Amino acid sequence: MSADPKLRVERLQAWFGDRHVLRDVSLEVPASSVMAVIGPSGCGKSTFLRCLNRMHELVPGARSDGGVFLDGEDLYRRGVDPVLLRRRVGMVFQRPNPFPTMSIRDNVAAGLKLNGFRGTLDEIVERCLRQAALWDEVKDRLKAPATSLSGGQQQRLCIARALAVEPEVLLMDEPASALDPVATAKIEELMHELKERYTIVIVTHNMQQAARVSDYTAFFYMGELVETGATERIFTNPGEQRTEDYVTGKFG
């Protein structure tokens, strides 16, 4: 797919205890692109996403095997600090999770403060809120509680918070599933803008959303990667019958 992919996954496997949830997944994600991960519930999409920044291993009894490479660097090799890795590979979750006791400004700056940043926070806060298409809506109330924002605004705030630590890759686990259509459209428009600077991997149940926002699509079924490729091909001329059946709504 790419001579020098931003992310490369080789024979990735994952378990929860004795339950084998991912089997021999191999794929590449080109830089400055959006890859949509699709498939029915329980097929391993979110587990795959969490393996990309080693959040899977935080679950008691969970383990994984295989390789995940960022710019050719093995993220699972001995000596890699998972905390520092998660700064390079950020995550936005399904439901907005701003820190409820913090202001809008402090939510964006939280990761920077945690990492001992000593520079000018206000400039970074403004830049990240602008990147998340939220600045104009909150610039006059940065000290207000983050929970005073609407659901869609809270999700964009969480994106701004993830961007503040300057990740290289942004993982999004169904970031619009809890939002109304207007807020969803803003998140999708935002992804188009962000891919100029970041590589994005998004899990979505929404086939129309996958077709709208992604350059590449990976279809998972029962823990296996069935097919991956350019989104237009996956949706119009897939190479596997199971892929065609899923994207045309015959099961799911």
Side-chain angles (χ1 to χ4, degrees), residues 126-184:
E126 179 176 346
R127 172 175 58 79
C128 294
L129 287 171
R130 285 188 183 278
Q131 283 184 283
L134 191 58
W135 174 252
D136 289 339
E137 298 170 40
V138 303
K139 62 183 179 183
D140 297 323
R141 50 180 178 136
L142 293 175
K143 293 183 179 180
T147 50
S148 67
L149 299 175
S150 70
Q153 289 174 324
Q154 287 185 27
Q155 190 64 301
R156 282 182 283 148
L157 178 64
C158 292
I159 292 172
R161 185 177 67 195
L163 297 178
V165 295
E166 299 190 336
E168 300 169 50
V169 176
L170 194 59
L171 309 177
M172 303 178 122
D173 193 355
E174 300 199 60
S177 65
L179 305 181
D180 62 61
V182 173
T184 295

Short mmCIF file of all heavy atoms in Angstrom, two decimals, residues 126-184:
data_model
loop_
_atom_site.label_atom_id
_atom_site.label_comp_id
_atom_site.label_asym_id
_atom_site.label_seq_id
_atom_site.Cartn_x
_atom_site.Cartn_y
_atom_site.Cartn_z
N GLU A 126 -4.74 27.69 22.46
CA GLU A 126 -5.45 28.32 21.35
C GLU A 126 -5.23 27.53 20.05
O GLU A 126 -6.17 27.28 19.29
CB GLU A 126 -5.01 29.76 21.16
CG GLU A 126 -5.72 30.43 19.99
CD GLU A 126 -5.36 31.91 19.82
OE1 GLU A 126 -4.78 32.50 20.76
OE2 GLU A 126 -5.68 32.46 18.75
N ARG A 127 -3.98 27.15 19.79
CA ARG A 127 -3.68 26.42 18.55
C ARG A 127 -4.47 25.12 18.48
O ARG A 127 -5.06 24.79 17.43
CB ARG A 127 -2.18 26.14 18.46
CG ARG A 127 -1.82 25.20 17.30
CD ARG A 127 -0.32 25.03 17.15
NE ARG A 127 0.33 24.52 18.33
CZ ARG A 127 0.33 23.23 18.69
NH1 ARG A 127 -0.29 22.33 17.95
NH2 ARG A 127 0.96 22.84 19.78
N CYS A 128 -4.51 24.39 19.58
CA CYS A 128 -5.19 23.09 19.57
C CYS A 128 -6.71 23.24 19.47
O CYS A 128 -7.37 22.45 18.81
CB CYS A 128 -4.80 22.28 20.81
SG CYS A 128 -3.06 21.82 20.83
N LEU A 129 -7.24 24.25 20.13
CA LEU A 129 -8.68 24.51 20.01
C LEU A 129 -9.04 24.94 18.60
O LEU A 129 -10.10 24.60 18.09
CB LEU A 129 -9.12 25.55 21.04
CG LEU A 129 -9.16 25.07 22.49
CD1 LEU A 129 -9.39 26.24 23.44
CD2 LEU A 129 -10.26 24.02 22.69
N ARG A 130 -8.15 25.68 17.96
CA ARG A 130 -8.39 26.04 16.56
C ARG A 130 -8.32 24.81 15.67
O ARG A 130 -9.14 24.63 14.77
CB ARG A 130 -7.35 27.09 16.11
CG ARG A 130 -7.60 28.49 16.65
CD ARG A 130 -6.66 29.50 16.01
NE ARG A 130 -6.83 30.83 16.57
CZ ARG A 130 -7.79 31.69 16.21
NH1 ARG A 130 -8.66 31.35 15.26
NH2 ARG A 130 -7.86 32.89 16.76
N GLN A 131 -7.32 23.95 15.92
CA GLN A 131 -7.22 22.72 15.14
C GLN A 131 -8.45 21.85 15.29
O GLN A 131 -8.86 21.16 14.35
CB GLN A 131 -5.98 21.92 15.58
CG GLN A 131 -4.66 22.45 15.05
CD GLN A 131 -3.52 21.53 15.45
OE1 GLN A 131 -3.07 21.54 16.58
NE2 GLN A 131 -3.07 20.72 14.52
N ALA A 132 -9.05 21.89 16.48
CA ALA A 132 -10.24 21.08 16.74
C ALA A 132 -11.53 21.84 16.38
O ALA A 132 -12.63 21.38 16.73
CB ALA A 132 -10.27 20.68 18.21
N ALA A 133 -11.39 22.98 15.69
CA ALA A 133 -12.54 23.77 15.23
C ALA A 133 -13.46 24.16 16.39
O ALA A 133 -14.69 24.16 16.27
CB ALA A 133 -13.32 23.02 14.16
N LEU A 134 -12.86 24.51 17.53
CA LEU A 134 -13.64 24.83 18.73
C LEU A 134 -13.35 26.23 19.27
O LEU A 134 -14.12 26.76 20.06
CB LEU A 134 -13.35 23.77 19.81
CG LEU A 134 -14.23 23.76 21.06
CD1 LEU A 134 -15.70 23.58 20.69
CD2 LEU A 134 -13.78 22.65 22.01
N TRP A 135 -12.25 26.83 18.84
CA TRP A 135 -11.79 28.09 19.41
C TRP A 135 -12.86 29.18 19.38
O TRP A 135 -13.13 29.83 20.41
CB TRP A 135 -10.53 28.57 18.70
CG TRP A 135 -10.07 29.94 19.12
CD1 TRP A 135 -10.15 31.09 18.40
CD2 TRP A 135 -9.45 30.28 20.37
NE1 TRP A 135 -9.62 32.14 19.11
CE2 TRP A 135 -9.18 31.66 20.33
CE3 TRP A 135 -9.10 29.56 21.50
CZ2 TRP A 135 -8.58 32.34 21.38
CZ3 TRP A 135 -8.49 30.24 22.56
CH2 TRP A 135 -8.25 31.61 22.50
N ASP A 136 -13.47 29.39 18.25
CA ASP A 136 -14.45 30.48 18.13
C ASP A 136 -15.65 30.27 19.05
O ASP A 136 -16.30 31.25 19.45
CB ASP A 136 -14.92 30.62 16.68
CG ASP A 136 -13.84 31.20 15.78
OD1 ASP A 136 -12.90 31.84 16.30
OD2 ASP A 136 -13.93 30.99 14.56
N GLU A 137 -15.93 29.05 19.40
CA GLU A 137 -17.09 28.75 20.25
C GLU A 137 -16.79 28.89 21.73
O GLU A 137 -17.71 29.04 22.54
CB GLU A 137 -17.60 27.34 19.95
CG GLU A 137 -18.09 27.16 18.52
CD GLU A 137 -18.36 25.70 18.18
OE1 GLU A 137 -18.89 24.97 19.05
OE2 GLU A 137 -18.03 25.27 17.05
N VAL A 138 -15.50 28.83 22.11
CA VAL A 138 -15.18 28.82 23.56
C VAL A 138 -14.18 29.89 23.97
O VAL A 138 -13.88 30.01 25.16
CB VAL A 138 -14.63 27.43 23.98
CG1 VAL A 138 -15.62 26.32 23.64
CG2 VAL A 138 -13.28 27.15 23.32
N LYS A 139 -13.68 30.70 23.06
CA LYS A 139 -12.59 31.62 23.38
C LYS A 139 -12.94 32.61 24.48
O LYS A 139 -12.04 33.11 25.17
CB LYS A 139 -12.14 32.36 22.13
CG LYS A 139 -13.21 33.23 21.48
CD LYS A 139 -12.69 33.86 20.20
CE LYS A 139 -13.75 34.71 19.53
NZ LYS A 139 -13.27 35.28 18.24
N ASP A 140 -14.23 32.90 24.67
CA ASP A 140 -14.64 33.87 25.69
C ASP A 140 -15.03 33.20 27.00
O ASP A 140 -15.47 33.88 27.94
CB ASP A 140 -15.82 34.71 25.18
CG ASP A 140 -15.43 35.55 23.97
OD1 ASP A 140 -14.29 36.05 23.93
OD2 ASP A 140 -16.27 35.70 23.06
N ARG A 141 -14.87 31.90 27.10
CA ARG A 141 -15.22 31.20 28.35
C ARG A 141 -14.28 30.04 28.63
O ARG A 141 -14.70 28.95 29.01
CB ARG A 141 -16.67 30.72 28.30
CG ARG A 141 -17.06 29.94 27.03
CD ARG A 141 -18.50 29.50 27.10
NE ARG A 141 -18.91 28.81 25.90
CZ ARG A 141 -19.62 27.70 25.88
NH1 ARG A 141 -19.99 27.14 27.02
NH2 ARG A 141 -19.99 27.15 24.73
N LEU A 142 -13.00 30.29 28.45
CA LEU A 142 -12.00 29.24 28.64
C LEU A 142 -11.93 28.74 30.08
O LEU A 142 -11.50 27.62 30.34
CB LEU A 142 -10.62 29.73 28.20
CG LEU A 142 -10.46 30.01 26.71
CD1 LEU A 142 -9.08 30.61 26.43
CD2 LEU A 142 -10.66 28.74 25.89
N LYS A 143 -12.38 29.58 31.03
CA LYS A 143 -12.32 29.18 32.45
C LYS A 143 -13.59 28.45 32.89
O LYS A 143 -13.68 28.01 34.03
CB LYS A 143 -12.08 30.40 33.33
CG LYS A 143 -10.70 31.02 33.12
CD LYS A 143 -10.47 32.20 34.06
CE LYS A 143 -9.08 32.80 33.85
NZ LYS A 143 -8.83 33.96 34.75
N ALA A 144 -14.56 28.33 31.99
CA ALA A 144 -15.80 27.61 32.32
C ALA A 144 -15.52 26.11 32.41
O ALA A 144 -14.59 25.60 31.79
CB ALA A 144 -16.86 27.88 31.26
N PRO A 145 -16.33 25.39 33.20
CA PRO A 145 -16.13 23.93 33.30
C PRO A 145 -16.29 23.25 31.94
O PRO A 145 -17.16 23.63 31.15
CB PRO A 145 -17.23 23.49 34.27
CG PRO A 145 -17.65 24.72 34.98
CD PRO A 145 -17.45 25.86 34.04
N ALA A 146 -15.48 22.26 31.68
CA ALA A 146 -15.59 21.53 30.42
C ALA A 146 -16.96 20.89 30.27
O ALA A 146 -17.46 20.73 29.16
CB ALA A 146 -14.50 20.47 30.36
N THR A 147 -17.58 20.55 31.40
CA THR A 147 -18.88 19.90 31.36
C THR A 147 -20.00 20.86 30.96
O THR A 147 -21.13 20.42 30.73
CB THR A 147 -19.21 19.30 32.74
OG1 THR A 147 -19.00 20.28 33.76
CG2 THR A 147 -18.31 18.10 33.02
N SER A 148 -19.70 22.15 30.83
CA SER A 148 -20.72 23.10 30.39
C SER A 148 -20.89 23.06 28.87
O SER A 148 -21.83 23.66 28.33
CB SER A 148 -20.34 24.52 30.82
OG SER A 148 -19.17 24.99 30.14
N LEU A 149 -20.01 22.36 28.18
CA LEU A 149 -20.09 22.25 26.73
C LEU A 149 -21.09 21.18 26.31
O LEU A 149 -21.39 20.27 27.07
CB LEU A 149 -18.71 21.90 26.15
CG LEU A 149 -17.57 22.90 26.42
CD1 LEU A 149 -16.26 22.34 25.89
CD2 LEU A 149 -17.88 24.24 25.78
N SER A 150 -21.57 21.29 25.08
CA SER A 150 -22.44 20.24 24.53
C SER A 150 -21.62 18.98 24.27
O SER A 150 -20.38 19.01 24.30
CB SER A 150 -23.07 20.72 23.22
OG SER A 150 -22.07 20.81 22.20
N GLY A 151 -22.32 17.88 23.97
CA GLY A 151 -21.61 16.62 23.73
C GLY A 151 -20.64 16.72 22.57
O GLY A 151 -19.50 16.25 22.65
N GLY A 152 -21.06 17.36 21.48
CA GLY A 152 -20.19 17.51 20.33
C GLY A 152 -18.99 18.39 20.62
O GLY A 152 -17.87 18.12 20.17
N GLN A 153 -19.23 19.45 21.40
CA GLN A 153 -18.12 20.33 21.78
C GLN A 153 -17.16 19.59 22.72
O GLN A 153 -15.94 19.76 22.61
CB GLN A 153 -18.67 21.58 22.46
CG GLN A 153 -19.38 22.53 21.52
CD GLN A 153 -20.04 23.68 22.25
OE1 GLN A 153 -20.56 23.52 23.37
NE2 GLN A 153 -20.03 24.85 21.65
N GLN A 154 -17.69 18.79 23.62
CA GLN A 154 -16.82 18.03 24.53
C GLN A 154 -15.94 17.06 23.74
O GLN A 154 -14.76 16.88 24.07
CB GLN A 154 -17.66 17.25 25.54
CG GLN A 154 -18.30 18.12 26.62
CD GLN A 154 -19.02 17.30 27.67
OE1 GLN A 154 -18.67 16.15 27.92
NE2 GLN A 154 -20.01 17.89 28.29
N GLN A 155 -16.49 16.45 22.69
CA GLN A 155 -15.68 15.52 21.90
C GLN A 155 -14.57 16.28 21.17
O GLN A 155 -13.43 15.80 21.10
CB GLN A 155 -16.56 14.75 20.91
CG GLN A 155 -15.87 13.60 20.22
CD GLN A 155 -15.44 12.47 21.15
OE1 GLN A 155 -14.67 12.70 22.09
NE2 GLN A 155 -15.94 11.27 20.90
N ARG A 156 -14.88 17.45 20.64
CA ARG A 156 -13.83 18.24 19.98
C ARG A 156 -12.81 18.74 21.00
O ARG A 156 -11.62 18.87 20.69
CB ARG A 156 -14.45 19.40 19.20
CG ARG A 156 -15.05 18.94 17.87
CD ARG A 156 -15.61 20.09 17.07
NE ARG A 156 -16.89 20.51 17.60
CZ ARG A 156 -17.36 21.75 17.58
NH1 ARG A 156 -16.63 22.72 17.04
NH2 ARG A 156 -18.55 22.04 18.05
N LEU A 157 -13.26 18.99 22.24
CA LEU A 157 -12.32 19.36 23.30
C LEU A 157 -11.36 18.20 23.58
O LEU A 157 -10.16 18.40 23.77
CB LEU A 157 -13.08 19.74 24.57
CG LEU A 157 -12.22 20.10 25.78
CD1 LEU A 157 -11.39 21.35 25.53
CD2 LEU A 157 -13.09 20.29 27.03
N CYS A 158 -11.89 16.98 23.59
CA CYS A 158 -11.03 15.81 23.81
C CYS A 158 -10.03 15.63 22.67
O CYS A 158 -8.90 15.20 22.89
CB CYS A 158 -11.89 14.56 23.97
SG CYS A 158 -12.88 14.55 25.50
N ILE A 159 -10.45 15.97 21.46
CA ILE A 159 -9.52 15.94 20.33
C ILE A 159 -8.43 16.99 20.52
O ILE A 159 -7.24 16.72 20.32
CB ILE A 159 -10.28 16.15 19.01
CG1 ILE A 159 -11.18 14.94 18.73
CG2 ILE A 159 -9.31 16.36 17.85
CD1 ILE A 159 -12.12 15.11 17.55
N ALA A 160 -8.82 18.20 20.95
CA ALA A 160 -7.84 19.26 21.21
C ALA A 160 -6.86 18.82 22.28
O ALA A 160 -5.65 19.06 22.18
CB ALA A 160 -8.55 20.54 21.63
N ARG A 161 -7.36 18.16 23.33
CA ARG A 161 -6.50 17.67 24.41
C ARG A 161 -5.51 16.64 23.87
O ARG A 161 -4.33 16.64 24.25
CB ARG A 161 -7.38 17.05 25.50
CG ARG A 161 -6.61 16.62 26.75
CD ARG A 161 -7.58 16.10 27.80
NE ARG A 161 -8.21 14.86 27.38
CZ ARG A 161 -9.29 14.35 27.96
NH1 ARG A 161 -9.88 15.00 28.95
NH2 ARG A 161 -9.80 13.20 27.54
N ALA A 162 -5.97 15.76 22.99
CA ALA A 162 -5.07 14.77 22.41
C ALA A 162 -4.02 15.42 21.53
O ALA A 162 -2.85 14.98 21.49
CB ALA A 162 -5.88 13.75 21.59
N LEU A 163 -4.39 16.48 20.81
CA LEU A 163 -3.46 17.15 19.90
C LEU A 163 -2.40 17.96 20.65
O LEU A 163 -1.32 18.22 20.10
CB LEU A 163 -4.22 18.08 18.95
CG LEU A 163 -5.21 17.41 17.99
CD1 LEU A 163 -5.91 18.47 17.15
CD2 LEU A 163 -4.52 16.40 17.10
N ALA A 164 -2.70 18.36 21.88
CA ALA A 164 -1.80 19.26 22.62
C ALA A 164 -0.42 18.64 22.84
O ALA A 164 0.58 19.37 22.89
CB ALA A 164 -2.42 19.64 23.96
N VAL A 165 -0.34 17.32 22.97
CA VAL A 165 0.96 16.68 23.21
C VAL A 165 1.64 16.31 21.90
O VAL A 165 2.64 15.59 21.89
CB VAL A 165 0.81 15.44 24.12
CG1 VAL A 165 0.34 15.86 25.50
CG2 VAL A 165 -0.13 14.41 23.52
N GLU A 166 1.09 16.81 20.79
CA GLU A 166 1.67 16.66 19.45
C GLU A 166 1.90 15.20 19.07
O GLU A 166 3.03 14.77 18.83
CB GLU A 166 2.96 17.47 19.34
CG GLU A 166 2.73 18.97 19.55
CD GLU A 166 3.97 19.79 19.22
OE1 GLU A 166 5.08 19.24 19.27
OE2 GLU A 166 3.79 20.97 18.90
N PRO A 167 0.82 14.43 18.97
CA PRO A 167 0.97 13.04 18.53
C PRO A 167 1.28 12.98 17.04
O PRO A 167 1.11 13.95 16.31
CB PRO A 167 -0.42 12.45 18.82
CG PRO A 167 -1.34 13.62 18.61
CD PRO A 167 -0.59 14.80 19.15
N GLU A 168 1.74 11.83 16.62
CA GLU A 168 1.95 11.58 15.18
C GLU A 168 0.76 10.85 14.58
O GLU A 168 0.46 11.00 13.40
CB GLU A 168 3.22 10.75 14.99
CG GLU A 168 4.47 11.43 15.52
CD GLU A 168 5.65 10.48 15.55
OE1 GLU A 168 5.91 9.82 14.52
OE2 GLU A 168 6.30 10.37 16.61
N VAL A 169 0.10 10.04 15.41
CA VAL A 169 -1.05 9.25 14.98
C VAL A 169 -2.19 9.52 15.95
O VAL A 169 -1.98 9.64 17.16
CB VAL A 169 -0.71 7.74 14.98
CG1 VAL A 169 -1.94 6.90 14.63
CG2 VAL A 169 0.43 7.45 14.02
N LEU A 170 -3.41 9.61 15.41
CA LEU A 170 -4.59 9.81 16.24
C LEU A 170 -5.54 8.64 16.02
O LEU A 170 -5.97 8.37 14.89
CB LEU A 170 -5.27 11.13 15.86
CG LEU A 170 -6.32 11.68 16.82
CD1 LEU A 170 -5.71 11.93 18.21
CD2 LEU A 170 -6.91 12.97 16.27
N LEU A 171 -5.83 7.91 17.09
CA LEU A 171 -6.76 6.79 17.05
C LEU A 171 -8.12 7.28 17.54
O LEU A 171 -8.21 7.97 18.55
CB LEU A 171 -6.28 5.65 17.95
CG LEU A 171 -4.83 5.19 17.76
CD1 LEU A 171 -4.47 4.12 18.78
CD2 LEU A 171 -4.59 4.68 16.33
N MET A 172 -9.19 6.92 16.82
CA MET A 172 -10.53 7.37 17.18
C MET A 172 -11.47 6.17 17.22
O MET A 172 -11.67 5.52 16.20
CB MET A 172 -11.03 8.42 16.18
CG MET A 172 -10.12 9.63 16.05
SD MET A 172 -10.73 10.81 14.81
CE MET A 172 -10.90 12.27 15.82
N ASP A 173 -12.02 5.90 18.40
CA ASP A 173 -12.89 4.74 18.57
C ASP A 173 -14.35 5.19 18.53
O ASP A 173 -14.90 5.63 19.53
CB ASP A 173 -12.58 4.04 19.90
CG ASP A 173 -13.22 2.66 19.98
OD1 ASP A 173 -13.97 2.29 19.06
OD2 ASP A 173 -12.96 1.95 20.97
N GLU A 174 -14.95 5.13 17.36
CA GLU A 174 -16.33 5.58 17.15
C GLU A 174 -16.57 6.96 17.76
O GLU A 174 -17.46 7.12 18.61
CB GLU A 174 -17.31 4.55 17.72
CG GLU A 174 -17.16 3.18 17.06
CD GLU A 174 -18.38 2.31 17.27
OE1 GLU A 174 -19.47 2.71 16.85
OE2 GLU A 174 -18.22 1.24 17.88
N PRO A 175 -15.82 7.96 17.36
CA PRO A 175 -15.87 9.26 18.03
C PRO A 175 -17.17 10.02 17.86
O PRO A 175 -17.43 10.97 18.61
CB PRO A 175 -14.72 10.02 17.37
CG PRO A 175 -14.63 9.43 16.00
CD PRO A 175 -14.91 7.97 16.20
N ALA A 176 -18.02 9.61 16.92
CA ALA A 176 -19.26 10.35 16.69
C ALA A 176 -20.50 9.53 16.99
O ALA A 176 -21.62 10.00 16.77
CB ALA A 176 -19.31 10.84 15.23
N SER A 177 -20.35 8.33 17.52
CA SER A 177 -21.50 7.45 17.69
C SER A 177 -22.50 7.98 18.71
O SER A 177 -23.69 7.64 18.66
CB SER A 177 -21.05 6.04 18.10
OG SER A 177 -20.45 6.06 19.37
N ALA A 178 -22.02 8.81 19.66
CA ALA A 178 -22.92 9.35 20.68
C ALA A 178 -23.39 10.77 20.36
O ALA A 178 -24.03 11.41 21.20
CB ALA A 178 -22.21 9.34 22.04
N LEU A 179 -23.11 11.24 19.15
CA LEU A 179 -23.38 12.63 18.80
C LEU A 179 -24.54 12.76 17.82
O LEU A 179 -24.86 11.83 17.09
CB LEU A 179 -22.13 13.27 18.20
CG LEU A 179 -20.85 13.19 19.03
CD1 LEU A 179 -19.71 13.88 18.29
CD2 LEU A 179 -21.04 13.79 20.41
N ASP A 180 -25.14 13.95 17.80
CA ASP A 180 -26.22 14.22 16.85
C ASP A 180 -25.62 14.47 15.46
O ASP A 180 -24.41 14.63 15.32
CB ASP A 180 -27.05 15.42 17.32
CG ASP A 180 -26.24 16.70 17.40
OD1 ASP A 180 -25.71 17.15 16.36
OD2 ASP A 180 -26.13 17.28 18.50
N PRO A 181 -26.46 14.50 14.42
CA PRO A 181 -25.94 14.63 13.06
C PRO A 181 -25.12 15.89 12.81
O PRO A 181 -24.14 15.84 12.06
CB PRO A 181 -27.22 14.63 12.20
CG PRO A 181 -28.20 13.85 13.00
CD PRO A 181 -27.91 14.20 14.43
N VAL A 182 -25.49 17.01 13.43
CA VAL A 182 -24.73 18.25 13.22
C VAL A 182 -23.34 18.13 13.83
O VAL A 182 -22.33 18.46 13.19
CB VAL A 182 -25.48 19.45 13.84
CG1 VAL A 182 -24.61 20.71 13.76
CG2 VAL A 182 -26.80 19.68 13.10
N ALA A 183 -23.26 17.61 15.05
CA ALA A 183 -21.97 17.42 15.70
C ALA A 183 -21.14 16.38 14.96
O ALA A 183 -19.92 16.52 14.83
CB ALA A 183 -22.16 17.02 17.16
N THR A 184 -21.79 15.34 14.46
CA THR A 184 -21.09 14.31 13.70
C THR A 184 -20.45 14.90 12.45
O THR A 184 -19.29 14.59 12.12
CB THR A 184 -22.06 13.18 13.31
OG1 THR A 184 -22.52 12.53 14.50
CG2 THR A 184 -21.38 12.16 12.40
#
